[in-house]
């Protein structure tokens, strides 16, 4: 259904699952385990995996906090996109990477739910991608001290509203890890 008709493929997007990003996040270990499950399935099915890695002043490239968590492993040939903004498309090579692989549909996982995940979901959607959020494979930190809802509510609300995203020629949606289909429907 993507508005990118010459791009029939699906990719698994793993956003910012880095030591300094997911330390202390809601259900960290469960989210990482679910991402690992999806990585295994994507690789077995020949689905492109694209890693996104954030850096900024508080998360400098090359630092321990910048490194992908040790529980996850990027295989040779899997794309790595470096970013400095919330939207993984903004001022990065992500669009080029996806175009080269014929990708018009994204399966989104990672962190932080209320920042880079939401920004990337919306960024992908407005660029014409069908965009599925894996509801049990994203997380965020506790920002209640700043007036935000508890992290489990942030995750639940994002899962709820993304499940109803539709626009001409493209569709959003939320599914759990066990329900992910890398084929044309999800």
């Amino acid at each position: 259904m993507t508005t990118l008709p010459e791009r029939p493929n699906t990719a698994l997007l793993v956003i910012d699952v880095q030591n300094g990003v997911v330390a202390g996040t809601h259900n960290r270990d469960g989210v990482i385990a679910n991402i690992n499950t999806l990585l295994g399935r994507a690789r077995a099915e020949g689905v492109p995996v694209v890693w996104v890695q954030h850096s900024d002043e508080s998360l400098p490239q090359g630092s321990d906090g910048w490194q992908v968590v040790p529980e996850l492993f990027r295989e040779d040939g899997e794309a790595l996109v470096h970013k400095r903004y919330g939207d993984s498309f903004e001022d990065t090579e992500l669009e080029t990477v996806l175009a080269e692989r014929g990708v018009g549909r994204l399966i989104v996982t990672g962190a932080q739910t209320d920042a880079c995940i939401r920004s990337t979901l919306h960024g992908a959607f407005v660029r014409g991608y069908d965009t599925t959020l894996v509801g049990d494979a994203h997380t965020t930190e506790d920002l209640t001290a700043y007036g935000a809802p508890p992290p489990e509510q942030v995750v639940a609300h994002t899962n709820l509203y993304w499940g109803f995203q539709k626009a001409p020629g493209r569709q959003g949606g939320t599914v759990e890890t066990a329900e992910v289909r890398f084929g044309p429907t999800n």
Side-chain angles (χ1 to χ4, degrees):
M1 231 169 101
T2 175
T3 61
L4 306 168
E6 302 302 315
R7 298 194 195 179
N9 299 327
T10 299
L12 176 63
L13 200 57
V14 181
I15 302 171
D16 301 348
V17 188
Q18 299 162 249
N19 292 324
V21 177
V22 299
T25 57
H26 170 69
N27 192 24
R28 177 202 182 275
D29 294 342
V31 166
I32 290 171
N34 288 336
I35 293 171
N36 252 330
T37 296
L38 292 165
L39 285 167
R41 289 188 39 226
R43 291 166 177 159
E45 294 181 35
V47 170
V49 175
V50 179
W51 297 79
V52 177
Q53 201 167 9
H54 188 83
S55 65
D56 59 27
E57 301 78 36
S58 64
L59 195 65
Q61 223 173 34
S63 68
D64 286 339
W66 176 81
Q67 301 298 327
V68 171
V69 297
E71 297 94 329
L72 300 180
F73 176 77
R74 185 173 68 90
E75 290 188 354
D76 291 339
E78 292 177 347
L80 174 60
V81 174
H82 296 281
K83 73 176 181 67
R84 297 189 57 78
Y85 301 99
D87 180 351
S88 297
F89 288 90
E90 192 65 45
D91 198 27
T92 71
E93 297 178 352
L94 182 56
E95 171 57 28
T96 301
V97 166
L98 297 173
E100 289 170 352
R101 289 158 177 77
V103 171
R105 180 171 173 260
L106 298 175
I107 307 294
V108 177
T109 67
Q112 300 257 15
T113 301
D114 43 357
C116 299
I117 294 297
R118 285 184 186 172
S119 295
T120 300
L121 287 170
H122 291 279
F125 200 66
V126 300
R127 287 172 174 88
Y129 292 87
D130 285 336
T131 311
T132 301
L133 175 62
V134 185
D136 58 356
H138 66 98
T139 187
T140 195
E141 64 187 313
D142 186 346
L143 296 174
T144 55
Y146 302 98
E152 59 274 10
Q153 289 180 5
V154 171
V155 169
H157 178 255
T158 304
N159 289 343
L160 174 68
Y161 90 79
W162 197 256
F164 295 100
Q165 293 299 306
K166 291 183 179 153
R170 61 203 181 277
Q171 184 167 330
T174 304
V175 298
E176 299 296 297
T177 296
E179 300 166 334
V180 170
R181 303 291 172 260
F182 291 112
T185 60
N186 210 13

